[in-house]
Amino acid sequence: MGRLTTHVLDTASGKPGAGIRVSVIRIDGERRELGATVTNHDGRCDVPLLEGAALVPGSYELVFGVGDYFRAAGVELPEPPFLDEVVLRFGVADADAHYHVPLLVSPWSYSTYRGS
């Protein structure tokens, strides 16, 4: 059974990105939000973002509300912030596979990779 998971690491503080809103969007001619959640104290989501029949081949986006996270953490940001919403667009080719798409983020940069 395939599934989509994520976690967030605040690389500026070296801590998990707790309390970050994450939206899951499917791209199939139009952008359709499939759901949203908030990361837990460990920077992870309590359940997979998508799994089983809900995960089908195609293009997706994860949208992370990092501007709100850094503001809540007391980080002084310019207005507008350099990073407010981080959008990761990726493809799912095998709906039976595990797609782990983490976000490593600071107020000034981010990176991702396909994890396990």
Side-chain angles (χ1 to χ4, degrees):
M1 175 173 68
R3 67 189 188 278
L4 172 63
T5 59
T6 191
H7 77 270
V8 182
L9 177 63
D10 175 346
T11 57
S13 70
K15 297 179 182 176
I20 296 176
R21 184 178 196 280
V22 182
S23 297
V24 182
I25 296 169
R26 172 121 165 97
I27 313 292
D28 56 1
E30 61 181 287
R31 295 175 80 243
R32 235 176 351 121
E33 185 175 57
L34 302 179
T37 191
V38 175
T39 57
N40 64 22
H41 71 282
D42 197 32
R44 298 180 182 275
C45 301
D46 292 327
V47 297
L49 300 169
L50 296 173
E51 64 182 328
L55 183 66
V56 298
S59 296
Y60 293 86
E61 289 179 352
L62 294 181
V63 181
F64 298 85
V66 299
D68 290 341
Y69 164 78
F70 285 117
R71 281 186 205 93
V75 175
E76 190 174 325
L77 300 175
E79 195 54 50
F82 182 68
L83 295 176
D84 192 16
E85 289 190 334
V86 172
V87 179
L88 302 179
R89 184 175 284 191
F90 58 95
V92 169
D94 180 1
D96 293 324
H98 180 192
Y99 285 80
H100 183 67
V101 184
L103 177 69
L104 288 68
V105 68
S106 82
W108 307 105
S109 67
Y110 68 90
S111 65
T112 191
Y113 55 93
R114 180 171 175 196
S116 59

